[in-house]
């Protein structure tokens, strides 16, 4: 039975993987182990923390599965069709419908989806996703092509050798993204917190149990419950879950804006981006070229350019625009040339050799006539480029040699002036980025003067700071150029990538938009890459985000969504680390004092759910559009440590107060619980400032629920009556907290 290609799910985990990764987390395993310990001593109500773990896990799975379904639908819509020869006819089919009987048609921009062998024509192929080498490889008759590589230029037909998993690398598009390390401070921070907590968890549990059971002679059940309480508070399980949920919700919201998220963590890098590199064609302009004027010489024959266009198999945008101008509907027969040199971003010209006629070359004038440019022609080209137009030259040579070099005795036949329309929303979009502290760089393969004029029409302030990168000779020169200029013309694909690398080396977070094959290397290098759906398949496959409507005006909404997600995540993550900080401090402190650990797991569950769990998820969904700056972990620790210290000091003060007034053990533990609850609510109070209507409802509702639980269900939470002076203590603590715990800490 013949194999068929499978549509690769590159956008998200499978449902099984989502369930597995949410259920079998380190923190869930620890929670279950602690619950078993509590159950063995028959203290079942202290197992309530399992309810929090369950709902956290359930919410995480629900949000991620929901996001997966939406993204998979978008992913299916974004799947490009492939061109094949089937039954002697050329047609477009979905990749998964291809069979070995089909002949693959390989043209510029297409990613090769199956291993094959070239049977007709030739093309240049970039195999960097397979080999790591950036050099382009010429594929001629009888040579193998491999899935995962993509066509840079040329036109060829290749027989299919392998399908599905038999391909050399059957999931190369996914592998291309996996090879690139994830640039996420949040991910690093989560891993660091997990590492630290894991290191502390076991020794703290053993020391706490040893102290309770052996030194204080506490009964086994009380020692186990106290140990579980000490350890459970240290686990920031909601922190990990919250990160996943915020990313999933962010991807869902972007999906409503016709944006496919192929890497969840790109939401963070997009929120941090301070430099945006733009390709001109297809991003700032619509990418639909048209011939606006032709400047011909006496020996120019319209039939020559028509035959040239028809003979070339590689139909790029420039060629299509010229052919549309000079086509003859009564003469649509295909007349392949005896030899072709396809256009590439490196050489910037293409050539067709027509037997008995000579060689015809189309491309940049300065590339075709590098040593013999006429001043009059150069001035005319400069005038058109200053108007933002693209000028290409059409030249002829009587030579019929089959070589990849420019022929001798070239003479100019015609100059074609081509124009592209500016997208209507570009000016407002660039203004948005300027107002939001994002530096704009335009990187294009076009003439720098043309690019500069396009930038002027788009309202870019630094449109005069442009340079021709074809004169850039070395690394040091490029570094100096990068500091001085904002617009780069005549940029090769390798220079585009190096520009991105140098910007990153300077400490910038770089986002890049593009749609062509010449953008692929730079897109893969960028911290966050955005491709247009209407662009090349290769560009879409290596990008983090795909704009399904190919509209540049969607960019502000995407950036704002990223900022909202990460800014709110920073605020909410602070709550979890506040608990971790004070739990570690309390656990260590009570190892060295002659008192048992004062909290029950059920009490910590109540405080955690009300002052951390519920508020964190609600605050994480608010609007918050400031650009994300600074180190994520340092930022949240800078807020969490003062909060943790505040709670710890409240506990110490209340403990000293109960010793002074000779409280009993039950009253002492209740008083310490009240002090911890008061400090936790103060931290939440400052995180809610400035108060909006929703934040007022949130804080008021949480406070009311906490009071109701204490008054109505005190027995469940091991809360007893305390002396009336405890009220004075709490009033003093709250006043001191409000006075000394200033808003800047939050």
């Amino acid at each position: 039975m013949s194999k068929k290609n499978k549509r690769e799910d590159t956008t998200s985990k499978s449902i099984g993987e989502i369930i597995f990764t949410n259920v079998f987390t380190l923190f869930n395993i620890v929670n279950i182990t602690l619950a078993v310990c509590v159950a063995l001593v028959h203290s079942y109500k202290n197992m309530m923390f399992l309810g929090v773990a369950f709902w956290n896990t359930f919410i995480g799975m629900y949000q991620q599965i929901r996001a997966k379904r939406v993204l998979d639908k978008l992913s299916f819509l974004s799947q490009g069709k492939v061109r094949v020869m089937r039954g002697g006819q050329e047609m477009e089919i979905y990749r998964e419908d291809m069979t070995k009987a089909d002949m693959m048609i390989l043209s510029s921009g297409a990613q090769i989806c199956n291993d094959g062998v070239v049977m007709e024509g030739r093309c240049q192929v970039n195999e960097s996703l397979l080999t790591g080498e950036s050099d382009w490889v010429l594929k001629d008759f009888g040579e193998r092509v491999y899935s995962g590589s993509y066509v840079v230029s040329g036109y060829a037909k290749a027989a299919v050798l392998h399908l599905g998993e038999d391909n050399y690398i059957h999931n190369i598009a996914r592998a291309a993204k996996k090879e690139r390390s994830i640039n996420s401070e949040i991910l690093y921070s989560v891993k660091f917190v997990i590492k630290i907590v894991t290191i502390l968890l076991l020794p703290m549990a053993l020391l706490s149990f040893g102290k309770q059971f052996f030194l204080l002679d506490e009964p086994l059940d009380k020692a186990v419950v106290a140990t579980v309480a000490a350890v459970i508070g240290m686990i920031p399980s909601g922190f990990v879950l919250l990160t996943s949920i915020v990313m999933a919700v962010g991807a869902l919201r972007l999906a409503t804006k016709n944006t496919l998220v192929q890497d969840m963590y790109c939401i963070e890098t997009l929120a941090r981006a301070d430099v945006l590199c733009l390709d001109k064609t297809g991003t700032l302009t619509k990418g639909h070229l048209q011939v606006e004027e032709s400047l011909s010489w006496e020996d120019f024959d319209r039939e020559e350019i028509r035959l040239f266009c028809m003979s070339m198999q590689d139909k790029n945008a420039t060629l299509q625009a010229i052919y549309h101008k000079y086509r003859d509907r009564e003469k649509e027969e295909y007349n392949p040339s005896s030899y072709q040199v396809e256009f590439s971003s490196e050489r910037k010209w293409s050539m067709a050799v027509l037997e008995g006629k000579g060689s015809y070359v189309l491309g940049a004038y300065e590339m075709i006539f590098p040593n013999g440019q006429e001043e009059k022609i150069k001035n005319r080209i400069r005038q058109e480029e200053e108007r933002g137009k693209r000028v290409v030259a059409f030249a002829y040579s009587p030579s019929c040699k089959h070589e990849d070099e420019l022929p001798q005795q070239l003479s100019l036949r015609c100059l074609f002036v081509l124009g592209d329309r500016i997208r209507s929303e570009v000016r407002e979009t660039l203004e948005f980025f300027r107002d939001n502290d994002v530096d704009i760089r335009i990187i294009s393969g076009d003439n720098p003067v043309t690019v500069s004029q396009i930038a002027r029409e788009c309202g870019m302030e630094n449109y005069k700071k442009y340079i021709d990168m074809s004169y850039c000779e070395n690394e040091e020169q490029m570094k100096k150029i990068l500091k001085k200029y904002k617009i780069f013309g005549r940029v090769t694909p390798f220079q585009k990538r190096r520009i991105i690398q140098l910007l990153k080396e300077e400490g910038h977070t770089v986002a890049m938009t593009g749609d062509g094959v010449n953008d692929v290397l730079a897109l893969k290098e960028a911290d966050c890459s955005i491709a247009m759906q209407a662009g090349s398949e290769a560009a879409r496959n290596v990008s983090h985000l795909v704009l399904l409507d190919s509209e540049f005006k969607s960019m502000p909404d995407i950036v704002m969504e990223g900022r909202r997600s990460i800014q709110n995540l920073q605020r909410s993550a602070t709550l979890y680390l506040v608990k971790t900080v004070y739990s570690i401090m309390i656990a260590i402190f009570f190892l060295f004092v002659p008192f048992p650990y004062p909290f029950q797991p059920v009490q910590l569950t109540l405080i955690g759910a009300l002052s951390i769990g519920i508020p964190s998820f609600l605050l994480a969904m608010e609007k918050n559009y400031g650009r994300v700056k600074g180190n994520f972990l340092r930022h949240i620790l800078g807020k969490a440590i003062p909060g943790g210290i505040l709670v710890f000091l409240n506990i110490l003060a209340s403990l000293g107060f109960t010793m002074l007034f000779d409280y009993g053990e039950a009253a002492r533990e209740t008083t310490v619980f009240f002090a911890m609850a008061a400090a936790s609510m103060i931290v939440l109070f400052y995180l809610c400032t400035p108060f909006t209507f929703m934040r007022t409802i949130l804080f008021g509702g949480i406070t009311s629920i906490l009071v109701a639980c204490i008054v109505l269900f005190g027995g469940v939470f091991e809360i007893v009556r305390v002396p009336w002076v405890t009220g004075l203590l709490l009033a003093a603590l709250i006043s001191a907290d409000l006075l000394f715990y200033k808003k800047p800490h939050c």
Side-chain angles (χ1 to χ4, degrees), residues 32 74 82 111 144 197 201 315 323 386-387 402 404 426 464 468 493 496 552 556 558 617 656 661 717:
I32 292 172
L74 292 181
V82 293
Q111 188 163 38
R144 293 279 293 271
V197 171
L201 213 58
K315 298 294 193 293
Y323 179 56
E386 288 175 353
R387 294 175 52 228
H402 292 188
D404 285 359
V426 164
K464 292 183 178 180
D468 188 333
K496 283 189 178 186
F552 185 56
I558 297 170
F617 283 101
F661 286 90
F717 297 104

Side-chain angles (χ1 to χ4, degrees), residues 26-44 46-50 201-202 204-206 223-235 601 604:
L26 171 65
F27 295 142
N28 276 357
I29 293 171
V30 172
N31 277 322
I32 292 172
T33 302
L34 295 176
V36 170
C37 293
V38 173
L40 291 175
V41 296
H42 308 293
S43 183
Y44 300 114
N46 280 308
M47 294 173 62
M48 287 180 64
F49 61 84
L50 272 186
L201 213 58
L202 184 59
M204 288 300 298
L206 294 175
V224 169
V225 170
T227 300
V228 170
V231 173
I232 202 71
M234 295 167 54
I235 305 174
L604 296 178

